[in-house]
């Protein structure tokens, strides 16, 4: 890969790309009605202050797999145009988006703690859903034994929920309870009654 490339940080090169990603991350998900947090870093590959923050930004991305991390370098083709459209005047600059809107902007190289604090504020509303880590694709498959059931008791027993009259919090369903009740009533009413088989 090229210098500064990362598996957990997505690169963008135009303002339209940024707007598209921010709009996409702002869409509601089942576990996240306001979408997910998105962080965009405007950086430079030759500025020492920016280079100093790369490792911190990479660590932050790995520690927050439920957040979308983006990065753009000033040296990209049309990079100056993008920076002008985004209103970036200092490097590095970090924009935090939530619900499709920019909720914070931080500038300077000593911003790691401040960025973590802002992420913590907006991730409080989010679950621990893993969307962007390196193991996100495999985590669910590995959790279920890669499609092979090791023990039937390891899988959720959901089928019974869709059978009418089934009480999923009990061992027996409503029909079983009714049958047991009628059996008990019969025995209590008739005891050890035996039909008369002597015909005269």
């Amino acid at each position: 890969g090229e210098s500064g490339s990362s598996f957990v940080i997505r690169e963008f090169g135009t303002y339209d790309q940024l707007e598209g990603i921010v709009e996409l991350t702002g869409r509601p998900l089942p576990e996240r009605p306001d979408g997910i947090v998105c962080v965009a870093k405007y950086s430079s590959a030759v500025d020492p202050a920016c280079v100093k923050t790369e490792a911190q930004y990479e660590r932050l991305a790995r520690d927050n797999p439920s957040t979308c991390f983006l990065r753009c370098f000033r040296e990209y083709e049309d990079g100056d145009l993008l920076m002008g459209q985004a209103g970036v005047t200092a490097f590095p600059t970090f924009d935090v988006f939530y619900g499709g809107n920019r909720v914070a902007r931080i500038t300077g190289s000593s911003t790691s703690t401040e960025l973590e604090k802002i992420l913590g504020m907006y991730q409080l509303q989010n679950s621990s859903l893993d969307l962007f880590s390196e193991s996100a694709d495999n985590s669910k498959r590995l959790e279920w034994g890669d499609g092979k059931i090791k023990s039937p008791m390891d899988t959720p027993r959901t089928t019974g929920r869709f059978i009418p009259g089934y009480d999923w919090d009990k061992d027996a369903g409503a029909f079983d309870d009714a049958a047991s009740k009628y059996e008990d009533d019969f025995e209590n009413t008739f005891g050890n009654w035996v039909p008369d088989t002597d015909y005269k």
Side-chain angles (χ1 to χ4, degrees):
E2 58 188 70
S3 175
S5 66
S6 165
F7 184 86
V8 292
I9 300 172
R10 276 57 176 177
E11 309 282 336
F12 67 98
T14 67
Y15 196 71
D16 287 342
Q17 286 178 337
L18 174 64
E19 285 182 323
I21 295 169
V22 168
E23 189 271 327
L24 191 62
T25 58
R27 291 183 185 172
L29 295 172
E31 295 183 25
R32 303 188 175 193
D34 293 327
I36 59 173
V37 180
C38 180
V39 181
K41 179 184 182 184
Y42 308 95
S43 189
S44 169
V46 295
D47 187 329
C50 293
V51 173
K52 186 175 95 174
T53 62
E54 285 303 315
Q56 295 172 339
Y57 194 60
E58 179 87 19
R59 178 191 56 78
L60 206 57
R62 290 181 187 279
D63 290 347
N64 296 277
S66 60
T67 297
C68 179
F69 284 84
L70 307 172
R71 175 174 49 207
C72 176
F73 290 99
R74 181 172 57 184
E75 290 75 25
Y76 284 168
E77 185 178 347
D78 296 327
D80 288 331
L81 175 64
L82 188 156
M83 302 302 168
Q85 289 174 304
V88 175
T89 56
F91 295 96
T93 295
F94 302 87
D95 280 346
V96 181
F97 300 91
Y98 186 64
N101 301 307
R102 187 173 75 189
V103 293
R105 172 169 273 191
I106 307 166
T107 57
S109 58
S110 58
T111 56
S112 180
T113 308
E114 194 175 345
L115 188 56
E116 284 184 64
K117 182 178 164 189
I118 290 171
L119 284 178
M121 283 177 12
Y122 288 96
Q123 287 179 337
L124 275 176
Q125 303 164 32
N126 291 342
S127 69
S128 58
L129 185 63
D130 182 355
L131 296 173
F132 301 108
S133 76
E134 292 167 336
S135 61
D137 293 338
N138 294 324
S139 61
K140 291 296 176 198
R141 273 184 295 163
L142 295 175
E143 185 177 323
W144 291 99
D146 208 17
K148 297 173 187 148
I149 300 174
K150 295 178 179 125
S151 164
M153 299 311 291
D154 290 342
T155 59
R157 300 170 66 191
T158 57
T159 309
R161 298 178 68 174
F162 306 106
I163 299 174
Y166 182 89
D167 296 323
W168 66 277
D169 59 337
K170 299 179 182 173
D171 288 338
F175 300 123
D176 297 319
D177 288 344
S180 298
K181 181 177 181 271
Y182 289 125
E183 184 180 339
D184 291 342
D185 288 349
F186 182 86
E187 289 178 3
N188 290 337
T189 303
F190 298 104
N192 291 329
W193 175 79
V194 178
D196 186 7
T197 56
D198 293 333
Y199 294 103
K200 297 184 184 174

